[in-house]
Amino acid sequence: MKEVCGLDKSQANYGWCFDCVPEENSLYLKVEGELFEMASNNLVFYQTRNLLSGPVEARFG
């Protein structure tokens, strides 16, 4: 993304987008120096309100 979008190369990380198909996406986390891959639906189910907002969660669950 830094090359394609001309973003600041001194920054460590950038996020791009979430395509709303969590079954096809993973999150990569570094936990105590170890890279850990987790299915993104774990985040969707655990943090629904933070990801979608209160009104959307209330309407769609």
mmCIF file of all heavy atoms in Angstrom, residues 6-46:
data_model
loop_
_atom_site.group_PDB
_atom_site.id
_atom_site.type_symbol
_atom_site.label_atom_id
_atom_site.label_comp_id
_atom_site.label_asym_id
_atom_site.label_seq_id
_atom_site.Cartn_x
_atom_site.Cartn_y
_atom_site.Cartn_z
ATOM 1 N N GLY A 6 1.200 5.715 -2.359
ATOM 2 C CA GLY A 6 2.051 6.846 -2.011
ATOM 3 C C GLY A 6 1.952 7.244 -0.545
ATOM 4 O O GLY A 6 2.017 8.423 -0.220
ATOM 5 N N LEU A 7 1.793 6.259 0.335
ATOM 6 C CA LEU A 7 1.642 6.547 1.764
ATOM 7 C C LEU A 7 2.999 6.738 2.429
ATOM 8 O O LEU A 7 4.030 6.328 1.915
ATOM 9 C CB LEU A 7 0.880 5.413 2.439
ATOM 10 C CG LEU A 7 -0.529 5.180 1.898
ATOM 11 C CD1 LEU A 7 -1.148 3.957 2.546
ATOM 12 C CD2 LEU A 7 -1.409 6.389 2.105
ATOM 13 N N ASP A 8 2.983 7.339 3.589
ATOM 14 C CA ASP A 8 4.183 7.629 4.358
ATOM 15 C C ASP A 8 4.909 6.331 4.718
ATOM 16 O O ASP A 8 4.395 5.510 5.482
ATOM 17 C CB ASP A 8 3.794 8.399 5.618
ATOM 18 C CG ASP A 8 4.987 8.825 6.450
ATOM 19 O OD1 ASP A 8 6.125 8.422 6.152
ATOM 20 O OD2 ASP A 8 4.757 9.573 7.401
ATOM 21 N N LYS A 9 6.098 6.137 4.189
ATOM 22 C CA LYS A 9 6.852 4.902 4.421
ATOM 23 C C LYS A 9 7.425 4.808 5.825
ATOM 24 O O LYS A 9 7.854 3.742 6.250
ATOM 25 C CB LYS A 9 7.964 4.775 3.387
ATOM 26 C CG LYS A 9 7.410 4.571 1.994
ATOM 27 C CD LYS A 9 8.511 4.475 0.974
ATOM 28 C CE LYS A 9 7.887 4.337 -0.394
ATOM 29 N NZ LYS A 9 8.864 4.314 -1.460
ATOM 30 N N SER A 10 7.434 5.892 6.573
ATOM 31 C CA SER A 10 7.959 5.839 7.938
ATOM 32 C C SER A 10 6.940 5.260 8.923
ATOM 33 O O SER A 10 7.293 4.913 10.043
ATOM 34 C CB SER A 10 8.397 7.231 8.404
ATOM 35 O OG SER A 10 7.269 8.083 8.558
ATOM 36 N N GLN A 11 5.689 5.136 8.517
ATOM 37 C CA GLN A 11 4.657 4.557 9.379
ATOM 38 C C GLN A 11 4.738 3.035 9.332
ATOM 39 O O GLN A 11 5.037 2.449 8.288
ATOM 40 C CB GLN A 11 3.270 5.011 8.934
ATOM 41 C CG GLN A 11 3.040 6.493 9.080
ATOM 42 C CD GLN A 11 3.138 6.950 10.522
ATOM 43 O OE1 GLN A 11 2.555 6.349 11.417
ATOM 44 N NE2 GLN A 11 3.878 8.004 10.757
ATOM 45 N N ALA A 12 4.443 2.394 10.454
ATOM 46 C CA ALA A 12 4.589 0.938 10.550
ATOM 47 C C ALA A 12 3.514 0.181 9.770
ATOM 48 O O ALA A 12 3.821 -0.735 9.026
ATOM 49 C CB ALA A 12 4.547 0.516 12.015
ATOM 50 N N ASN A 13 2.270 0.533 9.930
ATOM 51 C CA ASN A 13 1.184 -0.253 9.340
ATOM 52 C C ASN A 13 0.071 0.638 8.818
ATOM 53 O O ASN A 13 -0.145 1.751 9.297
ATOM 54 C CB ASN A 13 0.570 -1.183 10.393
ATOM 55 C CG ASN A 13 1.530 -2.237 10.840
ATOM 56 O OD1 ASN A 13 2.071 -2.960 10.022
ATOM 57 N ND2 ASN A 13 1.746 -2.323 12.134
ATOM 58 N N TYR A 14 -0.652 0.124 7.859
ATOM 59 C CA TYR A 14 -1.855 0.763 7.343
ATOM 60 C C TYR A 14 -2.925 -0.308 7.187
ATOM 61 O O TYR A 14 -2.624 -1.466 6.920
ATOM 62 C CB TYR A 14 -1.599 1.403 5.977
ATOM 63 C CG TYR A 14 -0.773 2.648 6.036
ATOM 64 C CD1 TYR A 14 0.590 2.602 5.813
ATOM 65 C CD2 TYR A 14 -1.351 3.869 6.346
ATOM 66 C CE1 TYR A 14 1.367 3.749 5.877
ATOM 67 C CE2 TYR A 14 -0.585 5.011 6.402
ATOM 68 C CZ TYR A 14 0.762 4.950 6.171
ATOM 69 O OH TYR A 14 1.516 6.071 6.233
ATOM 70 N N GLY A 15 -4.168 0.081 7.330
ATOM 71 C CA GLY A 15 -5.275 -0.825 7.054
ATOM 72 C C GLY A 15 -5.911 -0.419 5.744
ATOM 73 O O GLY A 15 -5.909 0.745 5.374
ATOM 74 N N TRP A 16 -6.458 -1.345 5.029
ATOM 75 C CA TRP A 16 -7.048 -1.028 3.734
ATOM 76 C C TRP A 16 -8.563 -1.040 3.839
ATOM 77 O O TRP A 16 -9.196 -0.028 3.934
ATOM 78 C CB TRP A 16 -6.533 -2.021 2.688
ATOM 79 C CG TRP A 16 -6.984 -1.700 1.303
ATOM 80 C CD1 TRP A 16 -7.826 -2.434 0.530
ATOM 81 C CD2 TRP A 16 -6.629 -0.559 0.522
ATOM 82 N NE1 TRP A 16 -8.007 -1.838 -0.677
ATOM 83 C CE2 TRP A 16 -7.295 -0.669 -0.721
ATOM 84 C CE3 TRP A 16 -5.829 0.542 0.743
ATOM 85 C CZ2 TRP A 16 -7.170 0.274 -1.728
ATOM 86 C CZ3 TRP A 16 -5.702 1.492 -0.255
ATOM 87 C CH2 TRP A 16 -6.365 1.353 -1.474
ATOM 88 N N CYS A 17 -9.183 -2.194 3.854
ATOM 89 C CA CYS A 17 -10.641 -2.251 3.953
ATOM 90 C C CYS A 17 -11.081 -3.600 4.488
ATOM 91 O O CYS A 17 -10.286 -4.521 4.590
ATOM 92 C CB CYS A 17 -11.287 -1.989 2.603
ATOM 93 S SG CYS A 17 -11.117 -3.331 1.432
ATOM 94 N N PHE A 18 -12.331 -3.673 4.786
ATOM 95 C CA PHE A 18 -12.932 -4.924 5.223
ATOM 96 C C PHE A 18 -14.093 -5.179 4.281
ATOM 97 O O PHE A 18 -15.013 -4.367 4.196
ATOM 98 C CB PHE A 18 -13.414 -4.786 6.670
ATOM 99 C CG PHE A 18 -13.813 -6.086 7.269
ATOM 100 C CD1 PHE A 18 -12.839 -6.995 7.664
ATOM 101 C CD2 PHE A 18 -15.137 -6.411 7.430
ATOM 102 C CE1 PHE A 18 -13.198 -8.205 8.216
ATOM 103 C CE2 PHE A 18 -15.503 -7.617 7.979
ATOM 104 C CZ PHE A 18 -14.532 -8.517 8.372
ATOM 105 N N ASP A 19 -14.059 -6.277 3.537
ATOM 106 C CA ASP A 19 -15.045 -6.490 2.475
ATOM 107 C C ASP A 19 -16.350 -7.137 2.940
ATOM 108 O O ASP A 19 -17.159 -7.539 2.128
ATOM 109 C CB ASP A 19 -14.432 -7.282 1.334
ATOM 110 C CG ASP A 19 -14.078 -8.700 1.710
ATOM 111 O OD1 ASP A 19 -14.445 -9.160 2.800
ATOM 112 O OD2 ASP A 19 -13.425 -9.358 0.878
ATOM 113 N N CYS A 20 -16.542 -7.252 4.222
ATOM 114 C CA CYS A 20 -17.789 -7.764 4.809
ATOM 115 C C CYS A 20 -18.042 -9.231 4.502
ATOM 116 O O CYS A 20 -19.175 -9.696 4.553
ATOM 117 C CB CYS A 20 -18.977 -6.912 4.400
ATOM 118 S SG CYS A 20 -18.842 -5.232 4.994
ATOM 119 N N VAL A 21 -17.013 -9.980 4.165
ATOM 120 C CA VAL A 21 -17.102 -11.425 4.024
ATOM 121 C C VAL A 21 -16.069 -12.006 4.979
ATOM 122 O O VAL A 21 -14.994 -12.422 4.589
ATOM 123 C CB VAL A 21 -16.834 -11.883 2.569
ATOM 124 C CG1 VAL A 21 -17.039 -13.390 2.439
ATOM 125 C CG2 VAL A 21 -17.723 -11.136 1.592
ATOM 126 N N PRO A 22 -16.385 -12.007 6.290
ATOM 127 C CA PRO A 22 -15.374 -12.382 7.280
ATOM 128 C C PRO A 22 -14.863 -13.808 7.133
ATOM 129 O O PRO A 22 -13.750 -14.107 7.530
ATOM 130 C CB PRO A 22 -16.087 -12.190 8.621
ATOM 131 C CG PRO A 22 -17.531 -12.212 8.296
ATOM 132 C CD PRO A 22 -17.663 -11.683 6.898
ATOM 133 N N GLU A 23 -15.658 -14.686 6.522
ATOM 134 C CA GLU A 23 -15.209 -16.064 6.354
ATOM 135 C C GLU A 23 -14.001 -16.162 5.429
ATOM 136 O O GLU A 23 -13.287 -17.150 5.416
ATOM 137 C CB GLU A 23 -16.337 -16.938 5.778
ATOM 138 C CG GLU A 23 -17.545 -17.040 6.672
ATOM 139 C CD GLU A 23 -18.491 -15.856 6.535
ATOM 140 O OE1 GLU A 23 -18.339 -15.037 5.600
ATOM 141 O OE2 GLU A 23 -19.377 -15.723 7.390
ATOM 142 N N GLU A 24 -13.788 -15.145 4.597
ATOM 143 C CA GLU A 24 -12.696 -15.158 3.624
ATOM 144 C C GLU A 24 -11.514 -14.297 4.065
ATOM 145 O O GLU A 24 -10.593 -14.092 3.289
ATOM 146 C CB GLU A 24 -13.209 -14.670 2.273
ATOM 147 C CG GLU A 24 -14.285 -15.564 1.691
ATOM 148 C CD GLU A 24 -14.855 -15.027 0.397
ATOM 149 O OE1 GLU A 24 -14.406 -13.964 -0.063
ATOM 150 O OE2 GLU A 24 -15.756 -15.674 -0.156
ATOM 151 N N ASN A 25 -11.530 -13.785 5.275
ATOM 152 C CA ASN A 25 -10.487 -12.885 5.746
ATOM 153 C C ASN A 25 -9.863 -13.403 7.031
ATOM 154 O O ASN A 25 -10.501 -14.085 7.815
ATOM 155 C CB ASN A 25 -11.075 -11.495 6.018
ATOM 156 C CG ASN A 25 -11.510 -10.825 4.754
ATOM 157 O OD1 ASN A 25 -10.690 -10.372 3.975
ATOM 158 N ND2 ASN A 25 -12.811 -10.777 4.529
ATOM 159 N N SER A 26 -8.612 -13.030 7.223
ATOM 160 C CA SER A 26 -7.902 -13.372 8.450
ATOM 161 C C SER A 26 -7.314 -12.111 9.061
ATOM 162 O O SER A 26 -7.062 -11.132 8.360
ATOM 163 C CB SER A 26 -6.740 -14.323 8.165
ATOM 164 O OG SER A 26 -7.206 -15.554 7.709
ATOM 165 N N LEU A 27 -7.105 -12.164 10.343
ATOM 166 C CA LEU A 27 -6.367 -11.121 11.044
ATOM 167 C C LEU A 27 -5.027 -11.713 11.446
ATOM 168 O O LEU A 27 -4.961 -12.848 11.914
ATOM 169 C CB LEU A 27 -7.122 -10.683 12.296
ATOM 170 C CG LEU A 27 -8.498 -10.081 12.071
ATOM 171 C CD1 LEU A 27 -9.212 -9.906 13.403
ATOM 172 C CD2 LEU A 27 -8.393 -8.771 11.338
ATOM 173 N N TYR A 28 -3.972 -10.972 11.251
ATOM 174 C CA TYR A 28 -2.650 -11.399 11.686
ATOM 175 C C TYR A 28 -2.250 -10.535 12.863
ATOM 176 O O TYR A 28 -2.188 -9.316 12.749
ATOM 177 C CB TYR A 28 -1.630 -11.266 10.551
ATOM 178 C CG TYR A 28 -1.827 -12.291 9.482
ATOM 179 C CD1 TYR A 28 -2.576 -12.013 8.356
ATOM 180 C CD2 TYR A 28 -1.272 -13.561 9.608
ATOM 181 C CE1 TYR A 28 -2.763 -12.961 7.377
ATOM 182 C CE2 TYR A 28 -1.456 -14.521 8.632
ATOM 183 C CZ TYR A 28 -2.197 -14.216 7.517
ATOM 184 O OH TYR A 28 -2.375 -15.166 6.548
ATOM 185 N N LEU A 29 -2.008 -11.159 13.994
ATOM 186 C CA LEU A 29 -1.651 -10.462 15.213
ATOM 187 C C LEU A 29 -0.287 -10.952 15.673
ATOM 188 O O LEU A 29 0.038 -12.133 15.536
ATOM 189 C CB LEU A 29 -2.685 -10.744 16.311
ATOM 190 C CG LEU A 29 -4.148 -10.500 15.928
ATOM 191 C CD1 LEU A 29 -5.063 -11.050 16.996
ATOM 192 C CD2 LEU A 29 -4.394 -9.032 15.687
ATOM 193 N N LYS A 30 0.494 -10.061 16.225
ATOM 194 C CA LYS A 30 1.756 -10.475 16.819
ATOM 195 C C LYS A 30 1.552 -10.488 18.322
ATOM 196 O O LYS A 30 1.267 -9.462 18.931
ATOM 197 C CB LYS A 30 2.883 -9.527 16.435
ATOM 198 C CG LYS A 30 4.249 -10.063 16.823
ATOM 199 C CD LYS A 30 5.350 -9.172 16.311
ATOM 200 C CE LYS A 30 5.997 -9.843 15.138
ATOM 201 N NZ LYS A 30 7.180 -9.131 14.682
ATOM 202 N N VAL A 31 1.644 -11.677 18.917
ATOM 203 C CA VAL A 31 1.415 -11.865 20.345
ATOM 204 C C VAL A 31 2.711 -12.373 20.957
ATOM 205 O O VAL A 31 3.165 -13.470 20.640
ATOM 206 C CB VAL A 31 0.266 -12.865 20.589
ATOM 207 C CG1 VAL A 31 0.046 -13.077 22.069
ATOM 208 C CG2 VAL A 31 -1.012 -12.396 19.902
ATOM 209 N N GLU A 32 3.291 -11.558 21.814
ATOM 210 C CA GLU A 32 4.551 -11.906 22.479
ATOM 211 C C GLU A 32 5.593 -12.397 21.485
ATOM 212 O O GLU A 32 6.253 -13.402 21.678
ATOM 213 C CB GLU A 32 4.311 -12.930 23.592
ATOM 214 C CG GLU A 32 3.452 -12.379 24.710
ATOM 215 C CD GLU A 32 3.267 -13.348 25.857
ATOM 216 O OE1 GLU A 32 3.894 -14.430 25.855
ATOM 217 O OE2 GLU A 32 2.489 -13.017 26.763
ATOM 218 N N GLY A 33 5.707 -11.684 20.357
ATOM 219 C CA GLY A 33 6.712 -11.994 19.354
ATOM 220 C C GLY A 33 6.335 -13.087 18.378
ATOM 221 O O GLY A 33 7.071 -13.360 17.441
ATOM 222 N N GLU A 34 5.180 -13.720 18.555
ATOM 223 C CA GLU A 34 4.736 -14.790 17.654
ATOM 224 C C GLU A 34 3.609 -14.275 16.768
ATOM 225 O O GLU A 34 2.679 -13.629 17.241
ATOM 226 C CB GLU A 34 4.233 -15.993 18.460
ATOM 227 C CG GLU A 34 5.289 -16.678 19.281
ATOM 228 C CD GLU A 34 6.333 -17.378 18.427
ATOM 229 O OE1 GLU A 34 5.979 -17.926 17.368
ATOM 230 O OE2 GLU A 34 7.513 -17.357 18.823
ATOM 231 N N LEU A 35 3.687 -14.581 15.469
ATOM 232 C CA LEU A 35 2.625 -14.210 14.544
ATOM 233 C C LEU A 35 1.472 -15.197 14.698
ATOM 234 O O LEU A 35 1.663 -16.416 14.688
ATOM 235 C CB LEU A 35 3.143 -14.227 13.111
ATOM 236 C CG LEU A 35 2.216 -13.650 12.057
ATOM 237 C CD1 LEU A 35 1.902 -12.180 12.370
ATOM 238 C CD2 LEU A 35 2.845 -13.766 10.685
ATOM 239 N N PHE A 36 0.281 -14.669 14.873
ATOM 240 C CA PHE A 36 -0.908 -15.468 15.137
ATOM 241 C C PHE A 36 -1.963 -15.097 14.114
ATOM 242 O O PHE A 36 -2.272 -13.923 13.934
ATOM 243 C CB PHE A 36 -1.388 -15.177 16.565
ATOM 244 C CG PHE A 36 -2.675 -15.851 16.927
ATOM 245 C CD1 PHE A 36 -2.705 -17.197 17.217
ATOM 246 C CD2 PHE A 36 -3.844 -15.117 16.993
ATOM 247 C CE1 PHE A 36 -3.892 -17.827 17.561
ATOM 248 C CE2 PHE A 36 -5.038 -15.733 17.333
ATOM 249 C CZ PHE A 36 -5.062 -17.088 17.613
ATOM 250 N N GLU A 37 -2.511 -16.093 13.412
ATOM 251 C CA GLU A 37 -3.578 -15.850 12.443
ATOM 252 C C GLU A 37 -4.904 -16.271 13.050
ATOM 253 O O GLU A 37 -5.020 -17.351 13.639
ATOM 254 C CB GLU A 37 -3.326 -16.637 11.160
ATOM 255 C CG GLU A 37 -4.381 -16.379 10.103
ATOM 256 C CD GLU A 37 -4.103 -17.115 8.800
ATOM 257 O OE1 GLU A 37 -3.178 -17.948 8.758
ATOM 258 O OE2 GLU A 37 -4.826 -16.856 7.838
ATOM 259 N N MET A 38 -5.907 -15.398 12.888
ATOM 260 C CA MET A 38 -7.222 -15.664 13.457
ATOM 261 C C MET A 38 -8.278 -15.334 12.416
ATOM 262 O O MET A 38 -8.165 -14.336 11.701
ATOM 263 C CB MET A 38 -7.409 -14.782 14.691
ATOM 264 C CG MET A 38 -8.763 -14.881 15.322
ATOM 265 S SD MET A 38 -8.924 -13.849 16.805
ATOM 266 C CE MET A 38 -9.059 -12.222 16.093
ATOM 267 N N ALA A 39 -9.292 -16.160 12.312
ATOM 268 C CA ALA A 39 -10.405 -15.870 11.400
ATOM 269 C C ALA A 39 -11.065 -14.556 11.807
ATOM 270 O O ALA A 39 -11.307 -14.319 12.990
ATOM 271 C CB ALA A 39 -11.426 -16.999 11.444
ATOM 272 N N SER A 40 -11.350 -13.709 10.839
ATOM 273 C CA SER A 40 -11.890 -12.397 11.184
ATOM 274 C C SER A 40 -13.315 -12.458 11.721
ATOM 275 O O SER A 40 -13.761 -11.530 12.378
ATOM 276 C CB SER A 40 -11.807 -11.448 9.997
ATOM 277 O OG SER A 40 -12.568 -11.944 8.924
ATOM 278 N N ASN A 41 -14.052 -13.573 11.486
ATOM 279 C CA ASN A 41 -15.390 -13.614 12.090
ATOM 280 C C ASN A 41 -15.319 -13.606 13.599
ATOM 281 O O ASN A 41 -16.278 -13.218 14.244
ATOM 282 C CB ASN A 41 -16.298 -14.755 11.652
ATOM 283 C CG ASN A 41 -15.759 -15.827 10.832
ATOM 284 O OD1 ASN A 41 -14.620 -15.812 10.414
ATOM 285 N ND2 ASN A 41 -16.598 -16.761 10.565
ATOM 286 N N ASN A 42 -14.209 -14.030 14.186
ATOM 287 C CA ASN A 42 -14.076 -13.919 15.643
ATOM 288 C C ASN A 42 -14.210 -12.469 16.078
ATOM 289 O O ASN A 42 -14.900 -12.163 17.053
ATOM 290 C CB ASN A 42 -12.731 -14.472 16.109
ATOM 291 C CG ASN A 42 -12.629 -15.960 15.944
ATOM 292 O OD1 ASN A 42 -13.634 -16.654 15.852
ATOM 293 N ND2 ASN A 42 -11.414 -16.467 15.891
ATOM 294 N N LEU A 43 -13.577 -11.569 15.363
ATOM 295 C CA LEU A 43 -13.687 -10.146 15.682
ATOM 296 C C LEU A 43 -15.091 -9.628 15.406
ATOM 297 O O LEU A 43 -15.653 -8.881 16.198
ATOM 298 C CB LEU A 43 -12.665 -9.336 14.885
ATOM 299 C CG LEU A 43 -12.708 -7.830 15.092
ATOM 300 C CD1 LEU A 43 -12.357 -7.478 16.534
ATOM 301 C CD2 LEU A 43 -11.785 -7.132 14.122
ATOM 302 N N VAL A 44 -15.681 -10.044 14.300
ATOM 303 C CA VAL A 44 -17.030 -9.590 13.945
ATOM 304 C C VAL A 44 -18.031 -9.988 15.025
ATOM 305 O O VAL A 44 -18.853 -9.187 15.454
ATOM 306 C CB VAL A 44 -17.457 -10.150 12.572
ATOM 307 C CG1 VAL A 44 -18.916 -9.840 12.280
ATOM 308 C CG2 VAL A 44 -16.571 -9.575 11.469
ATOM 309 N N PHE A 45 -17.960 -11.226 15.495
ATOM 310 C CA PHE A 45 -18.910 -11.680 16.516
ATOM 311 C C PHE A 45 -18.622 -11.084 17.891
ATOM 312 O O PHE A 45 -19.530 -10.848 18.669
ATOM 313 C CB PHE A 45 -18.914 -13.200 16.603
ATOM 314 C CG PHE A 45 -19.448 -13.862 15.359
ATOM 315 C CD1 PHE A 45 -18.754 -14.892 14.764
ATOM 316 C CD2 PHE A 45 -20.636 -13.444 14.784
ATOM 317 C CE1 PHE A 45 -19.245 -15.505 13.617
ATOM 318 C CE2 PHE A 45 -21.130 -14.037 13.638
ATOM 319 C CZ PHE A 45 -20.434 -15.078 13.053
ATOM 320 N N TYR A 46 -17.351 -10.813 18.179
ATOM 321 C CA TYR A 46 -16.967 -10.298 19.496
ATOM 322 C C TYR A 46 -17.148 -8.785 19.602
ATOM 323 O O TYR A 46 -17.491 -8.281 20.662
ATOM 324 C CB TYR A 46 -15.520 -10.682 19.784
ATOM 325 C CG TYR A 46 -15.021 -10.231 21.130
ATOM 326 C CD1 TYR A 46 -15.528 -10.778 22.302
ATOM 327 C CD2 TYR A 46 -14.059 -9.248 21.230
ATOM 328 C CE1 TYR A 46 -15.085 -10.365 23.541
ATOM 329 C CE2 TYR A 46 -13.598 -8.820 22.473
ATOM 330 C CZ TYR A 46 -14.116 -9.386 23.614
ATOM 331 O OH TYR A 46 -13.670 -8.956 24.829
#
